Amino acid sequence: TSMSGLGYKEFKPYFEKKESLSDVVKKWQIDEQNYVKRQMVWFKKMSVNWFDISQSGFYTEIENRLCKFLLKP
């Protein structure tokens, strides 16, 4: 359901007046951090090329890697 996703399910106890807002926010932050950790583990298992888009010329780096990938025998 739509209320089962991150950021929603953590607030249910608050709306049911079972937990304070600060407790719910703390739990939400922990759950989000754990989700990010799981995502990073998953990405590390994949062959992912990361690009720093804050660097000038990152488009050129992407083009070069893409051409190299597409021209593999």
Side-chain angles (χ1 to χ4, degrees):
T1 66
S2 63
M3 292 298 286
S4 65
L6 282 173
Y8 291 101
K9 64 182 178 181
E10 289 83 2
F11 279 88
K12 186 177 179 182
Y14 172 73
F15 293 125
E16 293 173 342
K17 300 192 185 308
K18 294 180 180 177
E19 291 185 25
S20 70
L21 181 59
S22 63
D23 288 342
V24 166
V25 169
K26 286 177 190 173
K27 182 174 182 344
W28 178 31
Q29 289 172 332
I30 291 168
D31 288 350
E32 286 284 340
Q33 290 169 351
N34 289 335
Y35 179 74
V36 168
K37 288 177 188 176
R38 288 192 307 273
Q39 289 290 71
M40 292 306 295
V41 167
W42 185 82
F43 277 121
K44 285 180 182 176
K45 291 178 183 177
M46 305 299 290
S47 179
V48 176
N49 289 305
W50 297 100
F51 299 96
D52 185 353
I53 62 171
S54 68
Q55 300 294 316
S56 63
F58 78 93
Y59 281 117
T60 305
E61 185 180 351
I62 292 172
E63 285 178 10
N64 291 339
R65 289 197 190 182
L66 186 57
C67 286
K68 186 177 176 181
F69 174 77
L70 292 175
L71 297 175
K72 280 185 180 178

